[in-house]
Amino acid sequence: MSTYKIIAPGRVNLIGEHVDHQNYPVFPCAIEQSIEVDVVKHPYVEGKEPALAIFHSNPDFDNITFQKREDIKMVEGKHQWYNYIIASYFGICEYLYNGHSIEKGQTIKRFEGLPKEYYEKIDPISPLNFAYKVTVGGQGVPVAAGLSSSSALTCAVSLAWDTGLSPAILATVSAHGEGYSGTAGGGMDQAAILLSESGKALKIDFHPLEVESVNLPKEISIVVANTGRVASKAVGYAKMYNKRVFELKCACYLILKKHGIELTHVQLIQNGLRDVLRMIKISEQDFLNKEMKECLKADFYTRADLEKLVPADVREFLLEKRVGQKVWEVNDDFHLLERVRHVLTENERVLEFVKICKELNHDQDTPPAVLKRLGQLLDGSFASLDGDFDCGCTELTQLVNICRNAGALGSRLTGAGWGGCTVSIVETPKLQDFLKKVEQDYYKPMISGEKKYDVPEQFIEMAKKDIKSVLFATKPSMSARKV
Ligand code: NG1
């Protein structure tokens, strides 16, 4: 028997939102808030310890125990927190079963458990050889706030299985595994959580995964402020997150079709917009300025339009294997051009932001104009997310404006959007003033009832009790680790 603890941070994304699923780079950092998982691991002997017992130190969270490893499966019904743990377990088992490779294109929930053959050829390091008791606790990462509480959990348990696989492999496998929880996400969160270096932000490139730690200007503080609006992308995925991924996949299909290129279904899932533009040999800028309007119509596409343009087998595969049938059932307006425009302009902003940071001379003060430009890039990101990507909400707009008026260089939503947190960059000497103003203008009127926001009562209580739990400056922190 062995016992150990895993600590995994949340992350805040500085810039590069909704581009990871298209394989464009992002620039997040790990934050100080983290979750902890206590693990007890035994060799698996049927009839002895349960194959997987999942507990939470908070009694509001359900526990679950699977006696036999063949019984392990996700639980259908209301959104179950422990499905993320099972998703990680499945992700690792699948990676090992497939000879240490990932078979992409299988990201829809697995309520039926692992296929039978997985128990006939078990890799020596597979979690299937062990029985685990995992207890989740720690001071916590705010939930459904765009700070990756779900990925912190997925990544923590990817270390909890204790397979000895490298953090880079675990990041890729965890991103794939997390797909089993129902969101057709990219790989940003898992890479940020498993590969970040303390004190630095992380430029992450995808397909293949490559990371580079980059210093931020020494003059700035990163501030996270929670709107309180619940950003439950897993619950509303069919109208929100997965719909966007589907829209972009359809756009990729139409762009390729216009250029006479046909991919297999799996290739269409594996390749993002970035890869598609490489295939048709057009730069992002040329595509944005010229090609885009020739490939995609400015107005939205209805279901009937897409039925004509995207063959049924392609649509079915994307829905079945990547985003879920519901995306088709509940939507009749697919905004392909706007989503593509967001991805391409956001990529430009990320590249400029990272370039500025990499060129800084840390022995000298950063010129005010440079800091101003970084802020503008954040502001531009929010405008594009709120407009072209349509993942904002009233609370985000309010809070971003309040942060700017309170002296931020720039401010935007962080994470998937539709609620959750904002990230702002603030010159450090102005930090205390900034925090006071944001508290005064957003949280105080919410607490007193003077302003009505779409936030749960519980959030208001939390803000009242401890403002630092909803509004705080954070430093780039260390990645997930076993202690
Ligand atoms: P959040 O909702 O902040 O965990 C999600 C995705 C990311 C990325 C961002 C938007 C998951 C696990 N995470 O992040 O991959 O696409 O939205 O940039 O799906």
Side-chain angles (χ1 to χ4, degrees):
M1 179 186 90
S2 50
T3 58
Y4 44 92
K5 188 191 277 296
I6 310 290
I7 301 180
R11 67 99 188 92
V12 61
N13 189 16
L14 298 172
I15 193 154
E17 220 64 83
H18 285 289
V19 294
D20 60 346
H21 42 69
Q22 301 308 310
N23 293 329
Y24 281 109
V26 294
F27 197 48
C29 61
I31 57 173
E32 287 154 309
Q33 283 83 346
S34 60
I35 60 157
E36 295 182 11
V37 181
D38 287 305
V39 190
V40 183
K41 179 182 170 193
H42 294 272
Y44 176 69
V45 181
E46 198 182 309
K48 263 187 107 193
E49 275 79 29
L52 182 59
I54 303 174
F55 296 90
H56 202 291
S57 59
N58 180 340
D60 292 344
F61 286 66
D62 290 343
N63 301 325
I64 193 162
T65 297
F66 300 97
Q67 288 303 329
K68 287 182 16 190
R69 59 192 180 190
E70 291 81 1
D71 296 341
I72 300 174
K73 57 172 81 121
M74 297 188 138
V75 181
E76 222 163 335
K78 67 179 181 353
H79 187 55
Q80 308 285 3
W81 74 277
Y82 44 70
N83 276 348
Y84 286 104
I85 296 182
I86 301 167
S88 162
Y89 187 93
F90 285 169
I92 298 273
C93 290
E94 178 151 273
Y95 172 78
L96 296 172
Y97 178 80
N98 287 324
H100 293 230
S101 75
I102 289 175
E103 229 178 63
K104 275 222 181 176
Q106 304 281 322
T107 55
I108 294 305
K109 296 189 190 201
R110 280 222 158 151
F111 294 122
E112 75 286 6
L114 284 176
K116 275 210 174 57
E117 59 270 24
Y118 279 51
Y119 301 97
E120 284 152 20
K121 188 190 94 183
I122 300 178
D123 191 285
I125 60 169
S126 171
L128 293 171
N129 298 309
F130 301 94
Y132 299 91
K133 179 183 172 206
V134 295
T135 307
V136 179
Q139 96 257 35
V141 177
V143 174
L147 299 177
S148 279
S149 58
S150 56
S151 301
L153 184 56
T154 315
C155 293
V157 289
S158 79
L159 289 170
W161 313 130
D162 201 27
T163 54
L165 293 169
S166 74
I169 288 178
L170 289 180
T172 308
V173 178
S174 299
H176 171 68
E178 199 165 330
Y180 287 133
S181 66
T183 310
M188 161 169 68
D189 304 348
Q190 300 80 1
I193 291 167
L194 285 158
L195 299 165
S196 281
E197 216 181 289
S198 176
K200 296 184 182 190
L202 195 71
K203 158 132 189 276
I204 309 173
D205 279 286
F206 301 97
H207 203 199
L209 178 68
E210 276 167 18
V211 297
E212 183 183 3
S213 294
V214 178
N215 279 310
L216 295 169
K218 56 184 185 306
E219 293 81 0
I220 62 166
S221 292
I222 302 165
V223 182
V224 174
N226 196 339
T227 60
R229 172 104 175 228
V230 179
S232 192
K233 66 178 190 299
V235 174
Y237 76 96
K239 286 197 165 209
M240 303 192 223
Y241 197 99
N242 286 15
K243 180 189 181 217
R244 304 296 180 276
V245 174
F246 182 69
E247 290 169 323
L248 284 159
K249 284 289 164 211
C250 289
C252 286
Y253 176 84
L254 294 180
I255 296 166
L256 287 165
K257 190 167 137 191
K258 172 121 202 302
H259 286 263
I261 300 175
E262 207 171 307
L263 298 184
T264 64
H265 295 166
V266 172
Q267 281 170 337
L268 191 60
I269 284 188
Q270 281 173 341
N271 290 288
L273 183 60
R274 188 200 64 162
D275 315 292
V276 164
L277 297 195
R278 298 278 174 288
M279 287 174 202
I280 62 169
K281 300 191 175 63
I282 289 182
S283 73
E284 274 70 20
Q285 219 169 29
D286 283 348
F287 188 80
L288 204 47
N289 296 336
K290 291 205 295 270
E291 269 290 303
M292 187 171 70
K293 290 202 179 81
E294 288 161 27
C295 294
L296 305 168
K297 65 170 178 168
D299 203 2
F300 66 84
Y301 293 72
T302 61
R303 261 200 308 259
D305 292 335
L306 289 183
E307 260 164 13
K308 275 186 228 131
L309 295 166
V310 183
D313 59 317
V314 175
R315 263 186 291 121
E316 273 309 303
F317 193 83
L318 292 174
L319 294 168
E320 188 60 35
K321 301 292 187 194
R322 183 73 176 143
V323 296
Q325 291 291 348
K326 240 182 149 185
V327 168
W328 189 249
E329 289 156 19
V330 302
N331 297 297
D332 199 19
D333 60 324
F334 299 93
H335 301 254
L336 278 43
L337 185 137
E338 279 126 302
R339 311 308 183 223
V340 166
R341 187 164 56 200
H342 164 72
V343 171
L344 297 180
T345 58
E346 183 76 349
N347 175 52
E348 284 176 352
R349 287 182 286 271
V350 174
L351 296 180
E352 186 180 344
F353 198 103
V354 174
K355 183 167 181 281
I356 292 176
C357 292
K358 281 172 71 172
E359 285 172 359
L360 291 172
N361 178 346
H362 292 274
D363 297 330
Q364 285 173 12
D365 290 346
T366 310
V370 171
L371 295 178
K372 193 168 161 215
R373 180 66 193 146
L374 291 177
Q376 283 169 349
L377 291 168
L378 256 60
D379 290 348
S381 170
F382 183 67
S384 176
L385 285 161
D386 192 37
D388 278 346
F389 216 73
D390 192 19
C391 64
C393 65
T394 323
E395 287 75 11
L396 278 166
T397 304
Q398 283 270 345
L399 187 51
V400 156
N401 286 336
I402 286 173
C403 289
R404 288 179 193 149
N405 292 336
L409 289 159
S411 184
R412 56 177 217 91
L413 69 86
T414 186
W418 296 286
C421 289
T422 61
V423 60
S424 305
I425 53 174
V426 180
E427 287 164 277
T428 304
K430 297 185 181 165
L431 178 64
Q432 289 315 320
D433 243 22
F434 171 83
L435 292 171
K436 249 189 246 145
K437 282 199 186 120
V438 176
E439 179 178 357
Q440 193 62 40
D441 292 351
Y442 187 77
Y443 297 99
K444 286 261 166 76
M446 175 194 287
I447 292 167
S448 68
E450 186 192 324
K451 270 238 151 163
K452 290 269 173 271
Y453 290 114
D454 184 3
V455 304
E457 215 29 64
Q458 233 179 342
F459 179 83
I460 300 178
E461 280 308 307
M462 208 163 81
K464 202 157 133 188
K465 227 169 71 199
D466 179 17
I467 188 72
K468 290 202 185 80
S469 65
V470 296
L471 170 67
F472 53 88
T474 186
K475 290 196 170 60
S477 303
M478 197 177 171
S479 58
R481 61 229 173 249
K482 184 176 167 192
V483 291

